[in-house]
Structures are given as structure tokens and as C-alpha cells.
Amino acid sequence: MSSNAVVVEGLSKRYRIGAAHTDYTTLRDRLAGMFRRMGRAEKREIWALRDVNLEIPQGEALGLIGHNGAGKSTLLKILSRITEPTEGRALLHGRVASLLEVGTGFHPELTGRENIFLNGAILGMTRAEIRKNFDAIVAFSEVEKFLDTPVKHYSSGMYVRLAFAVAAHLTPEILLVDEVLAVGDIEFQRRCLGRMNEVARSGRTVVFVSHNLDSIERLCTKAVLMRRGTVEIFGPTRDVVAAYLARTERSAIIDLTAFSGRSGEGRAQIMGVELLSADGQQLLDSIPFGESFRVRMHYEAKERLSGASFGFGLLSEKGARIFITESFELGITYDLEPGTGKVECEIHSPNVVPGVYRLELWLSDIPGVRATDHLASVGEIEVTPGEADVRSIATLASGVRGFVYVDCAWGELSKGPGRQP
């Protein structure tokens, strides 16, 4: 038997932009298409993957990283047999469980209990195996009170907790996980990483896609950096992450119209973000240490939203959250009409130490409860030392002083007896 759990040979995937499925076209569609072809013979194709070759040994925890559109999720969909490759092949040795989006394989009309058995059966488990792991699945997902409620009434967080619990506890030989863990809270993400560590240590294989580089480094022994559908670097995780951070492009204006790593119902979406000086006049590609700046979000509402809330967060290079702010928490909400618009937030003297950071953005239609659009990690911005009068500012970017500079005042040394034992 092969010592490799996954073997990918010459894998390529091509998509035709705007191509319709010919089985369902009407006569009108065919005639229109004929005249279009007569007018111009333009072919619009995108290669989401191009000649990818990989070997993943059994028991390996492999991380897939790269910019949005690099081909990470497409590769996972091919490994999960959701889509077929255009060229090449992928060989998987063992039972596969995949979690590529919230509630994958769940039936909305069935209860949580019924979906555990349904999803387990889809993964090839016997009823006895499912019963054996049932209590552990319920305990991990923390949905015991709602176990006999149809999952269509679950929140997105409950959905993903139950879906992950089923996929991770039904003893797959290969576990494929996409960026869905961003839906959960910090404690849930920590438990998920712990569970995936257990899976990997038990000799099974994990393939993990995430923009949270801290999670990738904690979980994965090897990593792949993908770029434009190809494998750019494959090696030890720390080396691959360092190369990725060194090559990341920085931009003051971030166009998000084609951003694929967003979640939410999409009733309104953030289409772009700009960073500006405190007076809103100058576009920034870096922020001087200690100086205020503005975040300008461009949005498009597909329908009227009443009482909407915008949020902004700053993340470290590896995905650790530095701070967040949301308009709702400050008593400010917005009534959005269908169409486009923009909103600004001023960040007062954040004192974030020099370094490179990423942005987290969201737009909530039910503030504090549900985001209609959430972008977990976008763009990059650099905080530079600037001209602030701070002692030892050269050492701030070293990392040993954390992410935030706090201006403190130490008192005089008081002579006399100290604290008695």
C-alpha cells in the first residue's frame, strides 16, 4: 500500500467564463449564441489550477496558503470529488471527510440528530460507528439543546460547529478543511485546531486551507504556497509562511469586487476599502506610528437594510486580531438604500507597533448577531516608525514588545521597608 495518503499528478482545472450548460439552453439561447459567435470568436477561459503535482504522506498535516484566487479551494474541491479536473488526476488512499463550507452535506429540514446520522452515512460510516461517536460529536458541537430542531433554524455558528464535529469525529483517514473555521468564535477555533492536531497525531492526514497563518504554523508540519493556480513553494511550514509574507504586495486601495473569501448572506457587500490620513485628504499605503488614520469602506446594498452596522479590525501578519471596532457598539447604525455608498471610520492614535498588518471588515444587518458580509483577512497595510518621540522605537518592531505600545508612567523609588513575608 502506498505511504502517501494523497497523490496529485499534473492536475489542472479550467473554467469558461459565462459559459452556459448546453443541456438546458432554449432555441432562443442557441440562436443568440450563434449570432454572438459570428460577431466575435473570443474565448474567455481561466485556469484555476495548472499542472499541480503533490505528494502528501500519511499522517501529514499540510497547510495551503496564498492570496485569494490562487487555487487553494479549487484544489480542495477536486480532492473532495465535488468537481472534476480538466487534466491530470488525484489519488486518495483512505476514507475522506471534507468541510469546505458551512453545513456541507446537511439537509435543512432534518434535525441536528438526523443530520449526524445522514452525514455519517455519506462519509461511509456504519450506524454502529456513528452511535459510538455520537456523544462526543454532540459535546464538541455544543448544540445539545437544539439537537432535535431542524438545522434550517440554526445560526451559522451552530451549523459549522455541528458540521465540523461530524467530519472530525467519524474517523476519516483524510480530513479536508477550508476557511470555514473563520465563522466560529475564538474558543471554537482553538478547539477545532486541537481536534485536528489529534487527528494528525493519530496517523491520519489533514489538509487545511486558511488565511490565519498562526493556525497554519501551529497545526501544519508542511505547507504549500500557491500562486495563480500553481505550486510556488512546498516545504516546512515556517519557511513557506516567511516566503509568503515577504512576497505579499501592499496597496492603499483594495478592490474587493472579486474577493472570494467572504461569508454572509450578501444582502449588502463591501466592494472596496481605502486607508486615508486623519483629515481624509491623503491616500495612504503606510501609517506612521502613533498617528490617526481613516478607513473608508465602499459598499453595495442589494436591498434596503435598516439599522445596519459596519465593523473594522486589524490583524497581525499571521492572523492574530489586534483590535476591532463596530459602529453599533458606539450607538451608530445606518439605513442603507439599494445602490452604492461609502462610510468612514477614524482610528484615533492606535499606537500599533511598526510592522505589516491585514484588515478584517464586516457589514451586519442584525448588529452584534449576524453579518451579511464578512471579509476575514484582506489587503495589507504597513505601520512605519514615523517621527513619534518614543524611546527605543527601533526595538518596537522586533516583536518582543507585543503589538501595541502603551504610554505608562513609573513613580519614584520609595525608600524604606518593603513588603514583609
Side-chain angles (χ1 to χ4, degrees):
M1 183 176 177
S2 172
S3 60
N4 291 317
V6 180
V7 177
V8 175
E9 299 176 345
L11 205 63
S12 299
K13 180 63 180 180
R14 178 185 60 204
Y15 290 103
R16 286 189 170 88
I17 301 176
H21 198 296
T22 55
D23 290 350
Y24 301 100
T25 53
T26 64
L27 176 60
R28 178 181 175 181
D29 294 331
R30 294 187 183 213
L31 287 173
M34 179 179 68
F35 285 111
R36 281 197 297 268
R37 287 192 296 272
M38 290 173 61
R40 58 176 184 174
E42 181 184 3
K43 292 179 65 178
R44 300 182 63 196
E45 298 178 341
I46 289 180
W47 287 91
L49 295 175
R50 195 63 166 164
D51 194 28
V52 173
N53 295 278
L54 280 176
E55 292 186 353
I56 306 175
Q58 291 178 353
E60 186 82 80
L62 179 77
L64 296 180
I65 62 175
H67 292 291
N68 292 294
K72 308 182 298 296
S73 295
T74 301
L75 177 56
L76 242 59
K77 287 178 180 178
I78 292 176
L79 295 180
S80 302
R81 303 295 190 251
I82 292 175
T83 186
E84 291 293 323
T86 305
E87 299 173 359
R89 63 176 184 169
L91 305 176
L92 289 85
H93 302 281
R95 191 157 46 189
V96 180
S98 61
L99 189 57
L100 307 188
E101 58 184 54
V102 176
T104 302
F106 277 22
H107 193 295
E109 299 295 336
L110 299 181
T111 66
R113 184 188 305 275
E114 292 166 336
N115 270 296
I116 291 175
F117 283 91
L118 173 64
N119 211 236
I122 291 173
L123 294 175
M125 307 296 168
T126 65
R127 193 172 184 83
E129 286 179 294
I130 299 170
R131 285 188 178 281
K132 178 182 177 182
N133 291 281
F134 186 85
D135 290 342
I137 292 170
V138 174
F140 188 94
S141 63
E142 298 180 339
V143 297
E144 185 175 3
K145 292 182 180 179
F146 309 97
L147 201 56
D148 295 307
T149 301
V151 297
K152 66 181 181 181
H153 299 303
Y154 284 17
S155 68
S156 59
M158 293 166 65
Y159 239 112
V160 75
R161 288 203 304 270
L162 186 58
F164 181 87
V166 173
H169 283 81
L170 294 182
T171 59
E173 280 79 31
I174 302 171
L175 178 62
L176 309 175
V177 184
D178 206 343
E179 190 68 81
V180 292
L181 300 188
V183 177
D185 56 30
I186 299 300
E187 173 60 22
F188 172 68
Q189 293 179 33
R190 184 189 64 78
R191 289 193 292 122
C192 286
L193 289 172
R195 179 59 188 169
M196 287 191 286
N197 260 318
E198 292 176 14
V199 171
R201 286 198 302 269
S202 66
R204 289 172 280 167
T205 305
V206 177
V207 182
F208 182 36
V209 170
S210 180
H211 286 288
N212 189 322
L213 301 183
D214 271 336
S215 298
I216 291 287
E217 285 192 330
R218 287 201 302 269
L219 174 68
C220 303
T221 52
K222 295 287 182 66
V224 171
L225 173 59
M226 299 194 67
R227 183 172 182 268
R228 296 180 181 177
T230 63
V231 174
E232 187 171 20
I233 304 175
F234 178 31
T237 301
R238 192 173 295 274
D239 296 343
V240 176
V241 168
Y244 175 51
L245 294 175
R247 298 182 187 190
T248 302
E249 299 175 357
R250 304 184 183 102
S251 175
I253 304 177
I254 305 170
D255 182 6
L256 301 172
T257 53
F259 186 76
S260 60
R262 63 174 85 229
S263 60
E265 296 181 351
R267 298 169 63 198
Q269 292 185 325
I270 299 170
M271 310 307 290
V273 61
E274 298 172 337
L275 299 174
L276 304 107
S277 56
D279 59 8
Q281 300 300 311
Q282 182 182 0
L283 197 64
L284 302 177
D285 57 6
S286 63
I287 302 168
F289 171 80
E291 292 192 15
S292 302
F293 66 97
R294 291 180 180 235
V295 179
R296 177 185 293 164
M297 285 179 263
H298 297 259
Y299 69 86
E300 180 178 5
K302 299 177 182 177
E303 57 186 88
R304 190 178 191 281
L305 296 182
S306 178
S309 175
F310 287 85
F312 164 78
L314 202 66
L315 310 175
S316 74
E317 282 186 290
K318 297 180 180 179
R321 184 177 284 166
I322 311 303
F323 69 79
I324 64 171
T325 178
E326 184 167 3
S327 64
F328 168 73
E329 295 176 346
L330 302 177
I332 299 173
T333 58
Y334 304 89
D335 294 332
L336 308 185
E337 298 295 336
T340 60
K342 57 189 176 184
V343 65
E344 289 186 7
C345 172
E346 183 172 355
I347 312 297
H348 299 291
S349 304
N351 282 347
V352 176
V353 302
V356 178
Y357 299 89
R358 297 181 65 81
L359 312 178
E360 179 179 12
L361 310 169
W362 66 92
L363 196 172
S364 298
D365 51 355
I366 302 181
V369 178
R370 183 178 68 191
T372 188
D373 192 31
H374 180 226
L375 299 88
S377 181
V378 300
E380 279 198 351
I381 187 67
E382 183 178 10
V383 176
T384 60
E387 299 178 358
D389 183 18
V390 180
R391 295 181 182 180
S392 70
I393 193 167
T395 67
L396 286 176
S398 65
V400 298
R401 298 186 180 272
F403 294 115
V404 179
Y405 171 81
V406 180
D407 193 6
C408 303
W410 287 80
E412 294 286 337
L413 185 65
S414 178
K415 297 182 179 180
R419 181 180 177 183
Q420 299 299 316

